[in-house]
Amino acid sequence: MDLFSQLPDDAPITSDDLRNESLVKRLRVLLHAYPLFQLSQSDARREESFRHYDTLAIALKIMDIVAERMGTESEADREYVDFAVGPLLDAMDVRAGLMPDAARHVEIVDRVLAALRHDSDVRRPFRIPYMDIGQNGEICEKQLEFRLIQEAFGLNGEIVMRLTNEAVNLSLKALEFDLEDSQAATEAIVHSQMCRGKLAVQ
């Protein structure tokens, strides 16, 4: 019995294949990272004194810092974020042959937080158009709305930072997989083919 014998190559493509909900779901997942990649693309366009900072790494570090304190009595405020991300910024300075500078660190954290909060649009949700597939296979455009990081009042009335559900799931779940794991990749392909009926049991 061959569990992995494939169906004929000319097997008909059904409407379910065309409007595969998994396709749209994965597309939506990837789009949540769009603001992070957009931030990273701006690195080369910054002033020379800030160009050595990897803002994608800084953004992910800030998200980790905020996540580890969410729900505790000492949630992450701006002062704590500056303190906790400091060693990473120091290392980036040293690698570029620069002396660490506290004022420059505050400025780059300001810029990263502004991107995460979507300050350029008055902190409204990110709105990203994407392709959806309707019930009858028709293509239509929808808009994905989400936030990544927000400010709120902590238990003591201070302003603290919190990740949205989307940001938590993006940074703590979606980015935890080892994409270079060949065994995991093979298992994912087999699982996908079985779910779609592309593998037949004989």
Side-chain angles (χ1 to χ4, degrees):
M1 181 175 67
D2 183 0
L3 294 178
F4 305 115
S5 59
Q6 295 192 359
L7 295 176
D9 292 336
D10 59 354
I13 296 177
T14 67
S15 60
D16 285 340
D17 289 319
L18 184 59
R19 61 181 178 84
N20 191 336
E21 293 180 2
S22 175
L23 170 65
V24 176
K25 181 179 179 180
R26 284 178 285 138
L27 179 60
R28 287 169 58 92
V29 169
L30 288 173
L31 286 177
H32 282 90
Y34 178 79
L36 299 177
F37 295 129
Q38 193 174 42
L39 173 65
S40 179
Q41 288 175 353
S42 67
D43 285 351
R45 299 192 296 270
R46 290 194 177 88
E47 309 94 301
E48 188 173 352
S49 59
F50 290 91
R51 209 169 292 168
H52 65 287
Y53 290 121
D54 183 336
T55 53
L56 179 57
I58 296 170
L60 292 177
K61 180 62 177 178
I62 290 174
M63 291 168 73
D64 284 345
I65 291 167
V66 173
E68 70 182 10
R69 291 211 164 195
M70 280 178 57
T72 70
E73 294 183 359
S74 54
E75 293 188 85
D77 58 12
R78 176 56 196 270
E79 182 179 1
Y80 180 74
V81 167
D82 284 332
F83 165 76
V85 80
L88 177 61
L89 300 179
D90 287 344
M92 291 181 181
D93 287 337
V94 171
R95 181 177 182 273
L98 299 173
M99 287 291 294
D101 180 87
R104 192 172 61 237
H105 291 180
V106 169
E107 176 66 20
I108 194 63
V109 171
D110 276 342
R111 299 185 188 193
V112 173
L113 285 174
L116 293 175
R117 293 184 307 233
H118 205 197
D119 286 3
S120 62
D121 194 19
V122 203
R123 302 191 184 182
R124 294 189 182 98
F126 294 99
R127 295 179 177 88
I128 304 176
Y130 69 95
M131 181 200 73
D132 196 5
I133 304 174
Q135 291 292 326
N136 298 316
E138 73 278 6
I139 300 296
C140 58
E141 183 178 287
K142 289 189 176 180
Q143 196 170 68
L144 179 66
E145 292 193 6
F146 63 95
R147 288 185 170 91
L148 291 177
I149 194 168
Q150 296 175 300
E151 292 183 344
F153 288 106
L155 295 177
N156 299 319
E158 74 280 19
I159 296 178
V160 299
M161 300 181 196
R162 291 175 183 163
L163 300 184
T164 63
N165 292 337
E166 293 90 341
V168 170
N169 288 325
L170 176 66
S171 64
L172 300 185
K173 294 177 67 176
L175 301 180
E176 288 297 316
F177 294 100
D178 181 1
L179 298 184
E180 297 177 352
D181 187 331
S182 59
Q183 180 178 345
T186 300
E187 292 173 356
I189 289 175
V190 172
H191 176 74
S192 175
Q193 291 177 346
M194 291 182 68
C195 288
R196 301 181 191 203
K198 300 301 183 184
L199 297 179
V201 178
Q202 293 184 347

